[in-house]
Amino acid sequence: MRTIRLYDMLWVDIGETAITLKFAESVSKSSVKPASITYPFDDSAREKVEEWVSNLLARAYEGSLPSKRFKVIINPFGGSRKAVSIFDNQAKALFEAAHCKLDVEQTLHTQHAIEIAENLDIEAYDGVVCCSGDGVPHEVFNGLFKRSDAARALSKIAVCQLPGGSGNAMCWNLTGTGSASLATVAIIKAYLVVSTEGKRKPLDLISVTHGDCHIVSFLSQSFGMIAEVDLGTEHLRWMGDARFIAGLLQRISKKSAYPCDIAVKVAIDNKASIRDHYRTPENENVRGAEELLKLEYGTVNDPLPEDWSLIHGALMAWMSADVNFFPAAKPNDGMFDLICVDSALSRFKLTKTLLAVETGSHFDMPQVICPHHSLVGVAIKSSSVVLKVDYKKIIAYRLIPHKREGVAEEYISIDGERIPFGPLQAEVHRGLATVLANGDRYEARGV
Ligand SMILES: Nc1ncnc2c1ncn2[C@@H]1O[C@H](COP(=O)(O)OP(=O)(O)OP(=O)(O)O)[C@@H](O)[C@H]1O
């Protein structure tokens, strides 16, 4: 007798004289492949067999939508340029076994995924699968955001990622794996609105205004060391995920500091409350309504709100497999997580803190402190940063970076993509986008 988990059950075909069960079979700890078993049946039992199959599929896809229709966007140049073979060899056959409908397109140039999402027939698809790094889902969210029916498009189309880049934070956060085949099964089985009983997995997006541009971010906005490590280490790409840690250690040893002014609209400022908030389930029914698209605090070109009080904002917990930077981040709590690192922290403590990032345990380290209440609500002038390492939940901020003398390249990164160096303002849109995930929280270890 063979046991197959409902989670692994992909489909059942009913033939003339036999049924074929199609399922995901483990080939190693980190990979599965489609497999099948055929059982004969007598035609006199057809009605009963059909009923059994229909019950089995209903249970195998509880809360989910079977036969999802996907637009698949592959960046052939993502990561180590293996995205096409990753999709063809590790994902495609699983999707086909699960009777998903696929429309596959490769990106031909930078920003191509923006165009695809902007012109997508949203009625013809349930989701977009990006087989890429985090740059392509960033473009897809922005393409959907640029549409005249943005609220509906972002609510209707679930965006997900198969690990075809070097970071793949979205895939790790939502499926808990960097394995393309395991992530494929997670996507096939993820919640998605079917009817009123079906579940949609909302994701907060962050509006970022800079100059006269308005874009959305789903993962992170970074300035200073993190942005430099992300964007200034392209020459270390051959190292894979390890380039982020190598880049950080290099900069810590140089004690790099990044002058700026930051004003923040704080939501939760102490670790005990952040932990409580993290452990409380969020309401699922936050929908992409039109008003969610509005900017409550204006743009970077408007006067600074008076009640704002500081640098690395993010929406998802994992920056890459080894970097659990924001352990208290939640997909749709209408807040984002801010970490500020004091440049006065000793090299030893800074290294210890940043290495603890691998597990997310930096949240509990004494140098990861939340600011005193008296600091909340004031714009903090930080030319060298005031606090040690600070973790807060915020809903908006403005960053005014200052160029350093003698430094040729300064970086600001939005979801890992470079934007021009200059002031920016960010605010969160609660649950505006839709993703494919099964849990209520990110898959990274929480607080
Ligand atoms: N055909 C293409 N030619 C050149 N650039 C492309 C092409 N397709 C996509 N791009 C660009 O590649 C950039 C990075 O894409 P992506 O995030 O998929 O890969 P990555 O950078 O290797 O991964 P990660 O974000 O994890 O580092 C995006 O800015 C995207 O616009």
Side-chain angles (χ1 to χ4, degrees), residues 127-145:
V128 175
V129 177
C130 308
C131 188
S132 65
D134 297 312
V136 171
H138 168 85
E139 291 183 3
V140 170
F141 284 126
N142 276 283
L144 296 173
F145 183 71

Side-chain angles (χ1 to χ4, degrees), residues 222-231 248 258 312 319 325 354:
S222 52
F223 157 72
M225 201 179 284
I226 302 293
E228 219 173 62
V229 167
D230 193 3
L231 299 169
L248 274 176
Y258 302 84
H312 187 69
M319 302 288 287
F325 221 100
L354 289 170

